[in-house]
Amino acid sequence: MMLALERSEDRKQLEELLAQSVPESMRVYGTVFYINRGNPLNMEVLVDSWPDFKTVISKPRSMEMVNDTNLCRHIYHVFTKDAENLREILGTTDVINWNQCLQIEGLQQCLDPVITSIAESKGLELERDKALLFVRDIHLGVSGKSPSMNSEEKSAAQIRNHLKVST
């Protein structure tokens, strides 16, 4: 079961926690950033537990996802600290509507095998789009130091996973 973070204090805390995991958390971090500043795209953020989360998924609210073929509105952003936790969530909850055309985006290498196995178990086709993400030091405007990464970690973080699922 996933919990929606409705309280602004919780979302602000999540934003700060996700900032510590940039660039891997960048897709979800960006959504939480915009939610905390007015939520112009009517998104929601879900966690597996709070405040000690392992997986965060951001997505449009259900009312925004009424057209099953509107790929532009069915975009999910995923960040996980535990691939097996993500596998369990995607396999046992309805947090993702697998009956719609959708996109799942994230910046972690572990996402592809997890999402691929779930989609294949449901008999769905995947279209993969991988692109480079250029990483440079930035100040995210949160308290504390920005994390430092070695060159190997930066290289691992440069692949953006973008999966399209067709029904």
Side-chain angles (χ1 to χ4, degrees):
M1 182 171 100
M2 297 288 284
L3 309 167
L5 286 187
E6 299 292 340
R7 293 176 10 142
S8 63
E9 298 84 19
D10 293 339
R11 288 192 313 266
K12 287 177 185 171
Q13 183 180 357
L14 178 61
E15 182 181 334
E16 290 181 5
L17 293 169
L18 290 171
Q20 297 170 12
S21 297
V22 166
E24 291 86 0
S25 67
M26 187 58 115
R27 304 304 271 182
V28 176
Y29 170 83
T31 304
V32 174
F33 179 91
Y34 282 108
I35 290 172
N36 287 340
R37 285 152 185 85
N39 201 7
L41 298 176
N42 204 16
M43 302 286 283
E44 67 180 334
V45 64
L46 307 165
V47 294
D48 62 325
S49 60
W50 187 251
D52 298 320
F53 67 91
K54 292 181 184 172
T55 299
V56 183
I57 298 175
S58 64
K59 65 179 195 148
R61 293 191 182 277
S62 298
M63 67 191 95
E64 300 294 328
M65 298 173 61
V66 293
N67 181 346
D68 287 344
T69 61
N70 186 348
L71 194 57
C72 295
R73 286 300 301 152
H74 305 158
I75 300 175
Y76 298 81
H77 298 124
V78 177
F79 172 72
T80 191
K81 298 176 185 177
D82 180 344
E84 288 308 310
N85 177 263
L86 177 64
R87 182 182 308 279
E88 182 179 330
I89 288 168
L90 295 183
T92 61
T93 69
D94 61 353
V95 81
I96 290 181
N97 183 351
W98 296 99
N99 296 318
Q100 298 176 318
C101 291
L102 59 99
Q103 294 182 61
I104 302 172
E105 299 180 0
L107 297 172
Q108 296 173 280
Q109 302 260 344
C110 69
L111 297 181
D112 190 15
V114 170
I115 294 167
T116 298
S117 69
I118 300 292
E120 286 176 353
S121 73
K122 296 178 179 297
L124 303 172
E125 289 183 34
L126 288 176
E127 179 183 322
R128 288 174 182 77
D129 176 21
K130 292 193 181 226
L132 291 179
L133 170 70
F134 295 97
V135 180
R136 64 179 247 199
D137 293 336
I138 58 173
H139 176 65
L140 296 173
V142 295
S143 59
K145 290 173 45 176
S146 63
S148 61
M149 296 184 293
N150 63 37
S151 60
E152 185 177 306
E153 290 171 324
K154 285 186 182 182
S155 296
Q158 289 178 338
I159 297 177
R160 173 178 63 102
N161 290 300
H162 177 92
L163 299 162
K164 295 178 187 172
V165 179
S166 302
T167 58

